[in-house]
Amino acid sequence: MIELKNIEKYYANKGVKSYILRHVTTSIKQGEFVSIMGPSGAGKSTLLNILGMLEEPTYGEYHFMGEDVTAMKERQRIELYRNHIGFVFQAYHLIDEMTVAENIEAPLLYKKIPGAERKSRIADVLDRFNMVAKKDLFPNQLSGGQQQLVGIARALVAQPSIILADEPTGNLQSAQAEQIMDLFKKLNQEENITILQVTHSEKNAQYGNRILTIEDGVIKEDVSVNG
Amino acid sequence: MFKLNLKIALRNLWKNRTITAINVGGLAVALSAFILVMMYATYETSFDKENPNYDNIYVVGITYPEFKTYYTAAPFAKAIKQNFPEVESAGLVKEGSFELTIKNGKNTLFTNKILAADYNAAKILNINPNGGLIKPAGDVERLTYLSNESMKTLFPNKKDNKPEMVGFGASNSGITGIIAGSIKNNLHSNFTFDGVSIANELGKNDNYDMNDYTICVQVKPETQVVNLEQKITNLYQAELLKSKAGKRIDEVKGISTFLDPLSNLHLKPKAGNDAPYKTLIALSVLGVLILVIASINFTNLSIAQATKRAKEVGVKKVLGAYRFQLTTQFLVEIFMQCFAATILALILAELVLPNFNNLFQTHLSIWHINNGLYWQLPLILGVITLIAGIYPAMILSGFKPAVVLKGNFSTSKQSYWLRNGLLVFQFSVAVVFIIGLFIINSQLKYMSKEDLGFTANQVVYIKNISIFNDPIKFEPVREKILKIPGIKSATVATFIPGGINGINNYTANGIKANIDFVDVDFDYFETLEIKLKEGRLFSNEFKTDTINSAVINESAVAKYGIKNPIGQTIRGCNIDYKIIGVIKDFKTQGFETAIQPTIYTIKDPCGGYKTQIMLKIEESKMTEALANLKSQWSTINKLDGEDFRYQFLDELYGKLFKKQEQLQSIFFAAAILTIFIAILGLFAFAKYITNGRMKEIAVRKILGASDIQILKLLNTSFFAIVVIANLISWPLAYILTKKWLETFAYRIEMPILPFALSALITICLTVITVSIQAQKAVKSNPVDALKYE
């Protein structure tokens, strides 16, 4: 599904290149649950951003579902967001002015899904996440864990093939974190959604089936886990 | 999606209601000012536009070496029509200048302006009496129509449009006439009137030396006007030579004609002054400036909100929104605010309109289909939405998700320069207006305080139609008037101060010159309290005073360069006048024109009619004196009839200041508006900057900075902006106000205080505004600002 070949990312400052990623070559298959780990500043988030096409690599090749991402136009990339990629953020990033239901509806609007189907999909997701009663609340009326659930619901409702999550439990207490990780695992196993998460926690990494460890911009370890 | 965006927009606007209110309110105020200016401009530029031949009508004017005029000789109209096939029609009009009394039983009407027009002119100028324009029969018949309002005064109960019999002059005069009907007096025309008198032909027996009429012509479409102008000039010169006017050929060569389009007549007549046009241009510039400043504010305020919206942009992009979708969303949001502002502006304009109409003596109304607002407003709404919205919309929709979603985000510094520049621009304009306001105020104050050289207070000017050129005729009238308690003195003259004097040629000290003349009666100088410099004033005791005595003013002495003027001779109108006194100059023409050299005589065969009676009345007895005058007027002044009409001279003279007072009001409004809007902008900008520097402030506080130091830190950059704005506008304001002051013959020295004051005011307001914002930052706990690190 994802092919990275010799990805490099650096910032040139007064002729001195400071590398963030070096020679990153790896591939991720459909249905994998990959955790990216490493110390702070190792380049985890940058790698995730490149995978999510939010940043461009300075050098290297990136194929997403067989297509060359670096050669893509803005429009094509947006089409990928609409149809294949769901994002989950550490700070949830729900839109404060929208209710829970509206937040979940937003991606469907951009996908131009007709009203009736939108309604049924939202109802479906709310039901699955046990949030029907909260659908008219605004994000600031919810706890962090609930907000993250909405965040995931929003990512899921567009039926993506991959979810990119940047420390999805970083702001949560451990009980809520476990709930979220269980949800990810379930989605991965039951619906075959590819999941890529950046995490600091050894424990969270165990939920997946593969761990990439990055240090100073270089992949140090790539191990399979039997979760 | 639209519905959802709309919902977000409303929720967002509500959440930031202070800023929204500032945004919308500021724009509404500016927009209402702009609407008023636009309505005024439309009104002023559309005089006579209802005329179907608007573009093809011209007034024929004559250019003499010294001046231009619209007064020409009647036969020339015919000559033009006969000689040039491209002239469709040519007609004559003449404005009656004297007051006429018309009576129907007990109802009396005083008309000032009866417009005489021939049938052709009536057709060209679209003068249509109610019931249609009728061609008068034969040479003698005059069809007289009164304006609807005048008709109402005379015949309050009249419903039909039938002719009526009326009396002219005093009820015992026995002169009667027929009023053919009524006509609408169109105030939105160059030709206004209390009544119209239509003849088949006017000035039939006039010669080329009787320049009494104004010729208007209607040319065929596609006529080359420049060409026609030249041909008419040639014709005029030829006619002058042929006629008995007795002009020499070299004199005639210096005379030419011009065609002034109907559209020029109101604002910038070629023979007349174009001050109204300049005022209109200045007003329009002002209106546009205020709107631009408000739009800039809007832009600034919207960008200041950007940080709050950044996350939304990032998330939406990641969810699959195209950039243009976001741009549209923000534009729609801004459009909604602009729309609200427009509605508010209309309400504001409606509220201000009565004052505005009063100030400019117009009858504007928003709810009038002809004012063009119905297409101008949507256009302006669109334009300001684009001006105010496009930049913030582009900036906001251009945010990179990877950057904004990281959490700690502040907008880039690149737009700093632009926004600082905008702020400087706003303040510069405000400073110019503040300085302008101060200087206009000082000049007006000077004008009201400065000694005019005469006293208009408690002087009553009586409108009168009987002629008192011979002092012996006025003597009995004066005697009777002075019997009324409270009246101190009475006099009669050809002109009153505040009006225009006559000009004649006088020779003294070997110099021949055109100077002003006023023919007066005894007690003229006493009534107006004009001060004597040397010699004496006119007095009954000197027999020669009614034959050949003259009083001149200081300017006249200077003009002729006379030393020891008393007893010297000044010659004019074939009379050798002896100068008996010199009076101090007094400002009859207000402050704009210099005092003209003037001669005052009692006997002047070449002068005008002495009809303007002036009385000095004790203030405490004013009411009774006026009542007595009114009741006794028919016995005091038999020839004038029973109608006593008066005005206070100071009110008449005060009209000379009307224009300046208008200007003062405009500048007052503009200064307040621009300052208000600039401060709004500053307020939001300061809020934005302070929010952006929260972290810096927190760190500085932890490092031990005191509150004062932080306030100083935040104020510094704004202080610099205001100082720069002042430096930019000082020279500009200096040049503009100097130009304005130069339109006065009597004016104040350019003061320095307004410049210092404008700086002081703007700096104070800035420091206060910024400090209010900064206060919050200073008071906040550093921990809050640093928490997310």
Side-chain angles (χ1 to χ4, degrees):
Chain A
M1 178 172 210
I2 287 173
E3 291 286 339
L4 295 181
K5 217 178 273 172
N6 227 349
I7 293 288
E8 305 221 334
K9 178 81 178 175
Y10 59 81
Y11 295 104
N13 192 8
K14 289 176 189 159
V16 183
K17 291 176 184 173
S18 47
Y19 278 94
I20 305 204
L21 291 176
R22 292 203 84 163
H23 308 302
V24 174
T25 304
T26 187
S27 66
I28 294 164
K29 288 185 215 52
Q30 177 74 38
E32 274 190 299
F33 186 161
V34 183
S35 304
I36 303 170
M37 295 194 67
S40 288
K44 307 182 298 285
S45 290
T46 306
L47 180 59
L48 196 75
N49 279 343
I50 288 174
L51 288 169
M53 301 164 215
L54 299 174
E55 279 181 55
E56 279 179 32
T58 328
Y59 179 82
E61 274 178 49
Y62 173 14
H63 288 270
F64 186 91
M65 298 176 84
E67 284 183 75
D68 185 0
V69 172
T70 41
M72 264 184 208
K73 293 208 175 82
E74 174 99 15
R75 290 236 155 197
Q76 290 169 296
R77 231 171 277 172
I78 290 173
E79 284 305 322
L80 284 183
Y81 289 156
R82 288 181 179 180
N83 298 314
H84 296 290
I85 306 176
F87 286 90
V88 174
F89 305 95
Q90 178 179 7
Y92 332 126
H93 287 330
L94 301 177
I95 297 175
D96 298 331
E97 286 73 31
M98 292 195 213
T99 62
V100 167
E102 284 163 358
N103 262 296
I104 298 175
E105 190 182 11
L108 300 180
L109 288 168
Y110 293 117
K111 257 182 113 169
K112 304 234 163 64
I113 289 173
E117 195 190 332
R118 284 206 307 268
K119 283 221 179 74
S120 76
R121 278 216 213 171
I122 295 163
D124 209 35
V125 171
L126 285 170
D127 194 36
R128 214 164 116 198
F129 285 49
N130 278 329
M131 301 198 71
V132 179
K134 302 199 166 65
K135 74 179 170 64
D136 289 325
L137 296 181
F138 286 95
N140 56 13
Q141 295 167 303
L142 301 176
S143 73
Q146 286 166 333
Q147 287 192 46
Q148 192 58 296
L149 275 181
V150 177
I152 296 170
R154 182 179 63 185
L156 273 182
V157 78
Q159 298 171 340
S161 35
I162 182 167
I163 287 183
L164 301 173
D166 191 355
E167 300 204 37
T169 61
N171 286 7
L172 300 178
Q173 290 164 353
S174 54
Q176 291 172 324
E178 262 175 47
Q179 194 193 352
I180 299 289
M181 291 317 298
D182 280 334
L183 179 63
F184 274 150
K185 189 163 185 175
K186 208 171 127 200
L187 289 171
N188 177 249
Q189 286 175 351
E190 292 176 11
E191 299 184 29
N192 201 27
I193 295 175
T194 314
I195 294 179
L196 243 151
Q197 69 160 344
V198 166
T199 183
H200 269 116
S201 142
E202 210 36 77
K203 194 178 152 209
N204 286 350
Q206 298 304 324
Y207 282 86
N209 44 32
R210 184 176 163 198
I211 298 176
L212 282 175
T213 311
I214 300 184
E215 263 171 50
D216 297 328
V218 184
I219 298 182
K220 284 271 156 166
E221 252 186 332
D222 185 350
V223 291
S224 296
V225 196
N226 300 316
Chain B
M1 168 142 49
F2 182 76
K3 219 171 95 191
L4 187 64
N5 281 340
L6 202 70
K7 254 196 243 170
I8 298 180
L10 287 176
R11 284 174 192 157
N12 234 316
L13 295 177
W14 181 245
K15 205 166 104 189
N16 305 308
R17 45 194 173 272
T18 326
I19 295 277
T20 308
I22 290 178
N23 238 347
V24 173
L27 192 59
V29 169
L31 203 52
S32 69
F34 187 72
I35 288 173
L36 287 178
V37 168
M38 213 165 50
M39 279 168 62
Y40 182 66
T42 311
Y43 179 82
E44 287 288 293
T45 49
S46 62
F47 269 63
D48 276 319
K49 224 170 191 165
E50 291 157 32
N51 194 316
N53 300 309
Y54 182 71
D55 294 322
N56 296 323
I57 296 173
Y58 296 85
V59 169
V60 181
I62 311 281
T63 311
Y64 294 100
E66 303 93 1
F67 62 95
K68 291 180 173 188
T69 174
Y70 292 119
Y71 286 105
T72 40
F76 192 42
K78 230 183 212 171
I80 290 175
K81 173 76 189 95
Q82 278 162 1
N83 282 284
F84 307 117
E86 58 264 56
V87 174
E88 189 110 30
S89 168
L92 292 167
V93 286
K94 180 186 191 179
E95 282 176 4
S97 51
F98 55 89
E99 203 175 71
L100 195 63
T101 318
I102 306 178
K103 282 180 190 288
N104 169 43
K106 280 190 178 154
N107 298 326
T108 309
L109 171 76
F110 305 108
T111 65
N112 280 317
K113 222 169 154 188
I114 295 286
L115 186 73
D118 66 9
Y119 182 68
N120 284 339
K123 267 205 327 213
I124 294 172
L125 298 176
N126 209 15
I127 296 174
N128 273 319
N130 301 346
L133 181 64
I134 301 164
K135 195 173 164 75
D139 278 350
V140 209
E141 193 188 17
R142 296 276 188 278
L143 291 176
T144 306
Y145 301 90
L146 288 180
S147 66
N148 294 338
E149 301 82 40
S150 308
M151 205 62 163
K152 196 101 196 138
T153 318
L154 278 186
F155 301 97
N157 302 318
K158 188 171 165 71
K159 295 271 188 298
D160 58 7
N161 201 19
K162 284 191 188 129
E164 296 279 356
M165 190 76 122
V166 293
F168 289 104
S171 47
N172 52 8
S173 72
I175 308 168
T176 59
I178 291 170
I179 300 295
S182 52
I183 178 168
K184 182 175 178 259
N185 176 24
N186 185 2
L187 291 174
H188 199 189
S189 160
N190 290 295
F191 299 90
T192 54
F193 43 75
D194 298 320
V196 201
S197 158
I198 296 173
N200 220 346
E201 202 183 335
L202 285 172
K204 198 173 181 193
N205 301 315
D206 277 15
N207 297 321
Y208 268 88
D209 57 350
M210 299 158 89
N211 293 319
D212 288 337
Y213 289 92
T214 299
I215 300 178
C216 43
V217 295
Q218 181 185 331
V219 299
K220 293 194 173 130
E222 321 280 316
T223 301
Q224 288 195 319
V225 176
V226 184
N227 205 346
L228 182 64
E229 221 167 28
Q230 187 53 48
K231 287 198 281 187
I232 291 181
T233 295
N234 294 342
L235 176 69
Y236 190 63
Q237 291 173 346
E239 293 282 332
L240 275 185
L241 286 175
K242 255 198 308 192
S243 76
K244 290 172 268 176
K247 300 246 188 229
R248 294 193 316 274
I249 187 143
D250 55 323
E251 249 181 303
V252 167
K253 282 288 165 220
I255 301 173
S256 62
T257 67
F258 61 91
L259 291 176
D260 211 2
L262 190 58
S263 51
N264 270 0
L265 233 44
H266 177 63
L267 286 174
K268 37 173 187 179
K270 283 179 185 159
N273 92 44
D274 60 351
Y277 186 68
K278 282 185 189 151
T279 311
L280 187 67
I281 296 284
L283 259 180
S284 308
V285 170
L286 202 79
V288 171
L289 261 184
I290 288 178
L291 194 62
V292 167
I293 289 176
S295 298
I296 288 174
N297 240 0
F298 203 95
T299 309
N300 254 342
L301 287 160
S302 305
I303 297 175
Q305 298 291 89
T307 344
K308 290 186 179 164
R309 306 298 294 273
K311 189 179 88 182
E312 182 188 331
V313 172
V315 171
K316 282 192 167 172
K317 281 198 168 174
V318 162
L319 293 180
Y322 292 133
R323 184 174 179 176
F324 86 84
Q325 287 175 311
L326 296 170
T327 315
T328 324
Q329 182 200 335
F330 288 118
L331 273 179
V332 166
E333 255 175 58
I334 286 161
F335 173 81
M336 277 164 48
Q337 296 180 61
C338 290
F339 185 73
T342 310
I343 301 293
L344 212 59
L346 278 174
I347 296 171
L348 274 176
E350 178 73 19
L351 290 177
V352 182
L353 206 54
N355 289 326
F356 185 89
N357 276 334
N358 196 9
L359 183 64
F360 286 97
Q361 294 168 324
T362 49
H363 306 270
L364 302 180
S365 159
I366 291 177
W367 317 113
H368 197 272
I369 195 78
N370 278 349
N371 59 19
L373 277 184
Y374 63 95
W375 65 265
Q376 286 166 337
L377 265 189
L379 187 74
I380 283 160
L381 184 58
V383 170
I384 50 172
T385 304
L386 280 182
I387 294 179
I390 205 85
Y391 183 65
M394 293 313 279
I395 294 261
L396 281 169
S397 65
F399 287 147
K400 294 252 176 300
V403 181
V404 292
L405 294 178
K406 254 177 203 161
N408 48 20
F409 157 75
S410 61
T411 37
S412 65
K413 302 248 167 188
Q414 347 160 334
S415 57
Y416 254 45
W417 273 109
L418 179 68
R419 274 177 285 160
N420 281 341
L422 294 178
L423 218 54
V424 167
F425 175 72
Q426 287 183 323
F427 269 88
S428 304
V429 176
V431 168
V432 169
F433 283 127
I434 296 175
I435 294 175
L437 179 66
F438 277 122
I439 288 177
I440 291 173
N441 268 345
S442 320
Q443 172 69 13
L444 284 184
K445 206 175 197 174
Y446 162 80
M447 279 157 63
S448 64
K449 287 262 171 69
E450 176 72 5
D451 184 20
L452 297 173
F454 75 103
T455 313
N457 266 347
Q458 298 147 48
V459 175
V460 171
Y461 152 59
I462 299 173
K463 296 179 181 179
N464 154 61
I465 52 172
S466 46
I467 297 160
F468 296 109
N469 274 26
D470 190 345
I472 295 162
K473 267 171 73 185
F474 187 63
E475 202 45 48
V477 177
R478 174 188 282 124
E479 263 169 37
K480 280 182 231 163
I481 290 175
L482 289 180
K483 273 190 194 136
I484 294 171
I487 300 185
K488 290 199 264 190
S489 65
T491 190
V492 65
T494 45
F495 311 104
I496 53 167
I500 294 162
N501 294 337
I503 298 177
N504 260 339
N505 206 288
Y506 289 88
T507 312
N509 201 16
I511 299 167
K512 203 174 163 185
N514 284 325
I515 63 169
D516 279 17
F517 72 86
V518 181
D519 302 340
V520 300
D521 206 283
F522 297 110
D523 286 346
Y524 176 83
F525 302 106
E526 289 82 350
T527 305
L528 293 171
E529 291 178 12
I530 294 162
K531 289 167 200 80
L532 183 70
K533 195 182 172 206
E534 52 182 313
R536 61 175 180 84
L537 299 173
F538 294 122
S539 162
N540 250 329
E541 291 159 29
F542 296 87
K543 287 267 165 354
T544 50
D545 277 7
T546 57
I547 302 167
N548 67 347
S549 292
V551 170
I552 59 175
N553 66 1
E554 289 171 304
S555 298
V557 173
K559 173 112 186 170
Y560 291 110
I562 313 173
K563 280 173 202 147
N564 304 320
I566 307 301
Q568 304 242 24
T569 312
I570 179 163
R571 184 175 171 79
C573 197
N574 283 327
I575 297 177
D576 284 320
Y577 291 102
K578 206 174 104 189
I579 299 169
I580 58 161
V582 176
I583 53 157
K584 289 202 165 158
D585 280 344
F586 69 99
K587 300 186 176 70
T588 54
Q589 298 295 317
F591 285 75
E592 278 163 74
T593 39
I595 294 166
Q596 295 301 311
T598 312
I599 180 168
Y600 300 86
T601 56
I602 293 182
K603 179 171 177 156
D604 181 11
C606 305
Y609 297 130
K610 288 193 220 169
T611 55
Q612 325 279 53
I613 300 175
M614 284 175 279
L615 311 178
K616 178 88 177 176
I617 304 179
E618 265 177 59
E619 196 163 20
S620 55
K621 294 181 183 156
M622 183 65 82
T623 342
E624 322 159 36
L626 285 173
N628 281 330
L629 276 169
K630 190 173 167 60
S631 61
Q632 296 170 32
W633 191 243
S634 49
T635 51
I636 293 174
N637 186 0
K638 288 201 183 79
L639 291 168
D640 187 47
E642 59 263 53
D643 306 301
F644 177 70
R645 289 103 52 213
Y646 70 92
Q647 259 179 315
F648 290 103
L649 193 62
D650 49 354
E651 282 171 18
L652 267 179
Y653 190 74
K655 279 189 184 157
L656 292 177
F657 301 100
K658 184 96 193 163
K659 209 170 72 194
Q660 266 62 50
E661 277 158 12
Q662 267 182 15
L663 200 69
Q664 190 190 25
S665 306
I666 294 170
F667 261 78
F668 185 71
I672 297 284
L673 264 183
T674 45
I675 268 285
F676 172 70
I677 293 171
I679 290 293
L680 282 189
L682 183 71
F683 181 81
F685 198 47
K687 189 172 180 163
Y688 170 72
I689 294 282
T690 324
N691 283 344
R693 293 174 77 173
M694 276 304 204
K695 196 175 103 192
E696 181 198 338
I697 294 165
V699 172
R700 279 177 193 267
K701 273 175 86 171
I702 287 168
L703 295 178
S706 73
D707 288 1
I708 299 290
Q709 281 170 322
I710 287 171
L711 276 181
K712 220 167 110 188
L713 174 79
L714 288 169
N715 266 307
T716 319
S717 60
F718 291 104
F719 187 80
I721 286 177
V722 176
V723 170
I724 291 170
N726 268 289
L727 291 181
I728 290 175
S729 21
W730 281 349
L732 200 66
Y734 180 82
I735 293 166
L736 290 175
T737 48
K738 199 173 167 62
K739 272 222 140 81
W740 180 75
L741 280 176
E742 274 163 9
T743 61
F744 291 93
Y746 306 95
R747 57 180 179 254
I748 50 169
E749 285 294 310
M750 179 63 86
I752 297 170
L753 195 63
F755 294 86
L757 269 180
S758 76
L760 195 68
I761 290 175
T762 43
I763 288 172
C764 278
L765 284 174
T766 307
V767 170
I768 292 171
T769 315
V770 174
S771 296
I772 288 173
Q773 280 306 323
Q775 195 68 15
K776 287 181 202 156
V778 170
K779 284 273 151 66
S780 69
N781 190 342
V783 177
D784 294 330
L786 297 174
K787 203 154 54 179
Y788 284 102
E789 286 307 291

